Amino acid sequence: MHLHPQAGRVYCTQIRRVTTQSVSRNTKDIWNIPRDSLVVGYRHGTEKLDQWSEQQTKVLFLTEGIVMRQVMSHEEHRHPNTILSDCKVLMLDEAHSGSTDIELILARILPRISQVKNFRLVLMSATLNIDTFLKRVTDAGVNRTDVGIFHMDERTNPLALYCVPSNLLRERDNMELALRMIIKIHHEYRNGYEGSAGSITGPILVFVPGKAEIRLLIELIKNAIKRGYTSGLYPYGFHADTPDRDRIFLTNGGDDPDPSRYGELHNYNLGRKADEKHPCNASAAAKPKNPESLPARRVIIATNAAETAVTFKDCWAVI
């Protein structure tokens, strides 16, 4: 990978802070760039976590809000020949999101883009309505011939669809239901899921609304293990404030969890303590005859911070 020093900077927006960091790290891995290099960097609203350089960074992943503020600031200072002072290519990822920041960026850029030299706007989306967008572009005064459309081959992953048994749907508490499904999947698929690429034995991913629910489900899993209903499960939390080293540990995957890291991970500041009114119900699962025979497996309990641009290696089951 070679970036010409005079080529200008490439900006790429991300919906969340956490994805600016994870996509930056993945890009370095794909391009074989050292992890500590600032040629590829990230920037978001939390200044102490920014990792980029005015001189070195050529590809910068940043939140939509920062781009929006820069575009607005550039207009206020009346720079007629540029849209962003050091940016030659602006890539708007998840352009279909319809967020306020994306809408403001497009509203400011589209009417001016034809008059600005050496600047390219790239929109990336899996679900963007092309006809609607083309109408918006022409309404903004952009020549249709200046708009290119590129289709990329989709990347698919093996998928196992597991329907919740009807008797479990009667359970009123979602955390209790999540616990039951974790144990059931862990016991019935102890050797993983046999997909087209062979056996997949990675972690189980569970989505919950917030940090308090992460903490609660971790406590429920630990209680189920303590009472002998299951074994081999290592629950971890994943949210927007997860430290970078923990994100690396959780997304890298591997055959087995690392018990030595289990106690170190960020089970702090996750909100209230586990609700004692939600103990593990004895009917959650039949006790295995030999719980110790179950394989070690991570359970990653995540908020919506894991929805976009975060990949957990070998993950095959999502609740």
Side-chain angles (χ1 to χ4, degrees):
M1 193 279 299
H2 175 69
L3 294 174
H4 194 278
Q6 304 301 323
R9 184 172 290 164
V10 176
Y11 282 8
C12 183
T13 65
Q14 297 294 311
I15 294 178
R16 298 185 178 89
R17 290 178 299 161
V18 64
T19 57
T20 64
Q21 298 168 262
S22 60
V23 175
S24 171
R25 184 175 63 247
N26 292 341
T27 301
K28 291 179 182 179
D29 291 342
I30 292 171
W31 288 351
N32 293 319
I33 297 175
R35 283 280 178 91
D36 58 355
S37 171
L38 295 180
V39 173
V40 176
Y42 63 85
R43 184 182 179 191
H44 52 65
T46 308
E47 292 296 330
K48 64 180 181 180
L49 293 179
D50 286 355
Q51 186 179 7
W52 69 294
S53 166
E54 290 280 4
Q55 294 76 32
Q56 299 177 48
T57 303
K58 295 302 177 184
V59 178
L60 182 62
F61 295 94
L62 63 180
T63 52
E64 298 166 353
I66 288 183
V67 173
M68 183 272 292
R69 289 193 292 271
Q70 288 194 18
V71 170
M72 302 278 280
S73 174
H74 221 58
E75 275 195 352
E76 291 174 4
H77 290 85
R78 300 185 182 279
H79 295 287
N81 298 321
T82 59
I83 290 177
L84 293 166
S85 57
D86 59 351
C87 175
K88 297 300 182 183
V89 179
L90 173 60
M91 307 175 72
L92 302 180
D93 198 5
E94 306 289 348
H96 61 272
S97 66
S99 70
T100 301
D101 291 332
I102 286 289
E103 291 302 312
L104 286 172
I105 292 170
L106 291 174
R108 297 286 181 169
I109 289 180
L110 289 178
R112 298 180 53 208
I113 195 169
S114 298
Q115 288 75 44
V116 179
K117 296 181 179 180
N118 300 320
F119 178 82
R120 295 291 183 270
L121 176 67
V122 179
L123 276 68
M124 300 185 293
S125 171
T127 59
L128 184 68
N129 187 311
I130 295 177
D131 293 334
T132 300
F133 177 71
L134 288 177
K135 184 179 184 304
R136 181 174 184 177
V137 168
T138 54
D139 289 347
V142 179
N143 193 325
R144 172 65 182 84
T145 59
D146 292 334
V147 181
I149 300 174
F150 301 92
H151 295 277
M152 300 180 65
D153 293 335
E154 61 182 341
R155 184 185 66 179
T156 60
N157 294 309
L159 174 65
L161 182 61
Y162 189 96
C163 297
V164 178
S166 58
N167 64 308
L168 291 186
L169 287 175
R170 292 196 298 270
E171 178 56 55
R172 296 174 58 186
D173 188 284
N174 285 339
M175 293 297 100
E176 180 75 17
L177 179 58
L179 174 66
R180 294 184 183 206
M181 291 306 301
I182 291 167
I183 294 176
K184 188 173 184 64
I185 292 173
H186 183 50
H187 291 183
E188 292 188 6
Y189 295 86
R190 64 181 63 202
N191 295 319
Y193 166 64
E194 291 295 332
S196 58
S199 179
I200 303 171
T201 57
I204 298 172
L205 174 62
V206 186
F207 281 104
V208 297
K211 294 180 183 179
E213 288 78 10
I214 290 177
R215 182 70 176 178
L216 173 58
L217 192 50
I218 287 176
E219 291 300 322
L220 287 173
I221 292 172
K222 290 163 66 175
N223 189 30
I225 294 172
K226 182 178 180 180
R227 297 178 64 181
Y229 293 107
T230 188
S231 68
L233 292 175
Y234 291 84
Y236 301 95
F238 187 98
H239 51 80
D241 297 323
T242 300
D244 192 48
R245 66 172 189 148
D246 293 343
R247 279 197 296 273
I248 295 173
F249 168 73
L250 292 174
T251 55
N252 279 349
D255 293 334
D256 295 306
D258 181 359
S260 66
R261 292 281 292 125
Y262 177 63
E264 299 176 21
L265 283 180
H266 58 94
N267 290 334
Y268 55 80
N269 196 29
L270 289 177
R272 62 182 175 82
K273 294 182 179 180
D275 190 341
E276 296 300 329
K277 296 180 181 179
H278 294 78
C280 175
N281 193 310
S283 63
K287 274 192 178 181
K289 293 181 180 179
N290 183 13
E292 290 74 19
S293 65
L294 292 169
R297 177 175 284 140
R298 295 174 186 165
V299 179
I300 300 172
I301 307 165
T303 64
N304 61 4
E307 283 182 348
T308 305
V310 177
T311 300
F312 298 100
K313 185 177 180 183
D314 295 330
C315 177
W316 64 278
V318 181
I319 299 175

